[in-house]
Each structure stands twice: as structure tokens, then as C-alpha cells.
């Protein structure tokens, strides 16, 4: 149909990501951006930055975003979707505010935002919306005409996100020695967050302990485990585990930690483990260090065979999923009937974050939601 690839009313897509240093001189300034307002001494930031210095002082996240941009451009061109794509980061160049200035200068007035976070949580959703509100406030103070901004729904259970990860787990299982392959456990890993933040990612009464954040990850893990069983005939034991914890030790965070889990699985007699980082869109620093370096070293100490499966990255199926989500949201905005695409038990997430969704640590305006001051 002629209107099948109609993105109106949107005239641009903005890829919004975390950002990362691209050389040794960037590391401490980048960490100062990430921790601004927390009063962390520079010497402490240099210690934290050692993870980056192990990899030449560069995070892979910006190159991975460039690869995703290339995949989106290629997919859009092949399918006739005429929608320009911009890129802005929260904590490093290209900075979000600069990108919004560029959008305004180019005459873009209705922008759809894709964040590199698939799940509900304060840090994975609301904080991005707060950054958008801050950037819009800056543009307003400069006297610029503000674009209207919407955000794509959470895509954790879209087939284009789930299926590449299932394939990654299958490849990792196939790479294990044959004598331990069928007995291998799967550790589905995501970023640990404070339990209080998890609970407020969706009401516990609705989503259970850990709120929508935990429930959504469990749904994805089950989808992948089911796909592995259907393809191999083996029902691998699995558990959702966590990594990359930070902050004060007295504050409860989601557990178990991946390294503790590896110790527990080894003690219980597991012959091997596949670590599947389902909470991450790409192989950025927390995957490279916390899994490929730290957790893999722990497994080596234990004599436990491990493999780490791939994230989605710039997989063409993920680029296609983004195109489908854009067209879906555009049709909704035009008042058309839409059947959202989603796997699993939870169904499609909301298009508009409701008031009180993933509340801030302190009151702060957030764009692209029901409580946006920039509607």
C-alpha cells in the first residue's frame, strides 16, 4: 500500500544514547559528566576509569551507535522510508542539546526518539526523558522554536530484539564442548539497579517484586529459553542475574551478581554456563568489562566453561524492528487502528509514559510523557 511506509506526522528520528569516551583524555571528563552533582573526587573517577584504560581509554558504545545508524539508514533506504536519522548522547559528544539545535536548524518539528535502552526503569527511560526536557529548556532559553518530541515504546519483547539474542545463545551453546553443552545453564544478565528503583518501575501490585523492570527481563529470558528448547530439544536451566552494581553498599540492589551466580552454579555441579546479556542493546563497556573480563576471569578461576552470547547491536532484524515501531507509532498518531507487534505474556508497552512512571529521585521535568511540560 502507498501509505505503508508513511512516517507522518514525524519528520525525524533521534537516536538517543548514553555516550562514552573515545580516547584516554576523554575518560575523566566523561565520568565527570556522568556523575555531575554527586561530589565524587577526581581521584576516585580516575580509579573508576581504569576499566576504560584497559581498553585504550575508549568505550565501544559510540562506534556501536554509528553501526546502528548505518543499519537504520540501509534498512530505511531499502524499504522506502524517507525519514532522516539524527544522533545525540546524554554524556558525551555528540551531545543531545547540540543535536536538538541541529534538528531545529534543519526545520524538523516532530521528532520520534529511540533510546538505546529496551526496558522500563528510571535510568533506562525516565532519565532520558529528563535529559530531553533539560535540552528543550536550553533551546527555549535561546529563543529557538521547540520541536514536539515523542518516544518509541519499550521494545524488549519485539521479535526483532528477541530473535537475534536467541540466535546468539544458540551459537554460544554450540561453541561449548559437546560433553558439557546439553547440561549448560543460561545466566540472563542485566544491569543491577536499587531494589527501590526496580519496584517503582511499575507498581509491585501489578508487576510483582522488582516491578516492570524485573518482569520484563523475566519475560524476555523465558522467550529465549523457549526458543532454545524448540531449536535444540534441550530444556536448559536458567536464571536472571545482575551485573555492574555501583553505589553505597548499604543500599539494596537487585541480586544475584553474575560472579556470585557463577560460584553458586559451579558449587551445584553445573558443567558450563552461557552468559546472555539481554539487558544491553550493544557490547559496550559494561559488557566488555563486567562479563568478558571480570566474570570470565571468575569462571576461569573456578574451572567452569563459559561463553558470552552476543547483544543485538546493529543486527538487520533490530533495524527492521525500529522501522516497524516507527510506522506503528506514526499510524497511532494519525488515528489509525494498529495491532502492535510483541512476543511473550506482557504485550506491547504503552506509547506514552503515564504520570508517576519510574519516578525521579527528586522532582524533575521530563519530556515525551503524559506529564511533559513540552506537550
Amino acid at each position: 500500500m502507498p501509505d505503508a511506509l508513511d512516517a507522518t506526522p514525524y519528520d525525524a528520528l533521534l537516536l538517543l544514547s548514553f555516550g562514552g569516551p573515545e580516547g584516554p583524555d576523554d575518560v575523566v571528563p566523561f565520568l565527570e559528566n556522568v556523575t555531575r552533582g554527586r561530589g565524587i573526587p577526581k581521584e576516585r573517577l580516575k580509579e573508576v576509569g581504569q576499566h576504560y584504560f584497559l581498553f585504550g581509554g575508549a568505550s565501544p558504545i559510540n562506534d556501536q551507535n554509528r553501526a546502528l545508524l548505518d543499519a537504520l539508514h540501509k534498512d530505511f533506504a531499502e524499504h522506502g522510508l524517507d525519514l532522516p536519522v539524527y544522533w545525540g548522547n546524554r554524556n558525551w559528544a555528540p551531545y543531545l542539546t547540540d543535536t536538538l539545535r541541529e534538528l531545529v536548524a534543519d526545520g524538523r518539528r516532530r521528532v520520534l526518539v529511540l533510546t538505546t535502552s529496551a526496558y522500563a526503569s528510571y535510568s533506562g527511560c525516565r532519565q532520558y526523558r529528563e535529559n530531553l526536557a533539560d535540552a528543550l529548556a536550553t533551546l527555549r532559553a535561546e529563543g529557538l522554536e521547540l520541536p514536539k518530541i515523542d518516544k518509541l515504546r519499550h521494545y524488549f519483547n519485539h521479535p526483532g530484539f528477541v530473535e537475534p539474542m536467541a540466535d546468539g545463545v544458540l551459537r554460544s551453546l554450540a561453541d561449548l564442548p559437546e560433553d558439557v553443552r546439553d547440561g549448560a545453564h543460561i545466566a540472563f544478565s542485566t544491569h543491577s539497579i536499587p531494589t527501590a528503583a526496580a519496584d517503582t518501575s511499575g507498581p509491585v501490585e501489578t508487576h510483582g517484586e522488582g516491578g516492570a523492570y524485573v518482569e520484563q527481563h523475566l519475560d524476555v529470558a523465558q522467550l529465549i529459553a523457549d526458543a532454545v528448547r524448540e531449536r535444540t530439544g534441550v530444556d536448559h536451566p536458567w536464571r536472571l542475574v545482575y551485573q555492574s552494581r555501583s553505589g553505597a553498599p548499604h543500599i539494596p540492589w537487585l541480586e544475584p551478581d553474575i560472579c556470585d551466580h557463577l560460584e553458586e552454579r559451579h558449587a551445584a555441579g553445573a558443567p558450563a554456563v552461557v552468559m546472555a546479556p539481554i539487558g544491553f542493546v550493544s557490547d559496550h563497556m559494561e559488557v566488555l568489562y563486567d562479563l568478558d573480563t571480570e566474570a570470565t576471569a571468575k569462571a576461569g578461576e573456578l574451572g567452569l566453561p563459559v561463553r558470552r552470547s552476543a547483544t543485538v547491536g546493529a543486527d538487520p532484524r533490530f533495524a527492521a524492528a525500529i522501522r516497524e515501531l516507527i510506522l506503528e507509532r506514526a499510524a497511532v498518531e494519525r488515528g489509525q487502528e494498529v495491532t502492535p507487534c510483541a512476543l511473550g505474556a506482557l504485550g506491547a508497552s504503552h506509547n506514552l509514559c503515564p504520570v508517576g512512571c519510574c519516578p525521579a529521585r527528586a522532582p524533575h521535568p521530563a519530556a515525551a510523557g503524559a506529564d511533559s511540560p513540552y506537550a
Side-chain angles (χ1 to χ4, degrees), residues 324-342:
E324 291 168 9
L325 288 166
I326 291 166
L327 296 174
E328 172 195 301
R329 180 63 183 273
V332 168
E333 294 299 309
R334 296 195 301 267
Q336 295 176 224
E337 285 286 332
V338 173
T339 302
C341 184

Side-chain angles (χ1 to χ4, degrees), residues 1 4 13-14 28 30 66-67 83 97 130 150 158 170 197 215 255 263 319 325 329 338 341 343:
M1 294 177 61
L13 176 71
L14 169 61
V28 171
F30 162 74
R66 292 182 183 104
L83 189 70
T97 303
E130 290 179 357
D150 293 323
H158 194 286
L170 287 162
E215 185 182 40
E255 297 178 335
E263 289 186 337
L325 288 166
R329 180 63 183 273
V338 173
C341 184
L343 301 174

Side-chain angles (χ1 to χ4, degrees), residues 235-297:
D235 194 5
H236 290 269
W238 63 268
R239 184 168 183 181
L240 179 63
V241 301
Y242 302 93
Q243 62 177 88
S244 313
R245 181 200 160 120
S246 61
H250 68 279
I251 297 175
W253 284 53
L254 294 172
E255 297 178 335
D257 175 77
I258 177 63
C259 289
D260 294 339
H261 180 68
L262 292 176
E263 289 186 337
E264 187 272 331
R265 286 295 82 209
H266 174 67
V273 173
V274 169
M275 301 181 294
I278 61 172
F280 305 91
V281 171
S282 64
D283 289 6
H284 56 63
M285 186 57 67
E286 286 169 322
V287 175
L288 293 186
Y289 183 79
D290 294 336
L291 294 184
D292 292 357
T293 305
E294 193 172 51
T296 300

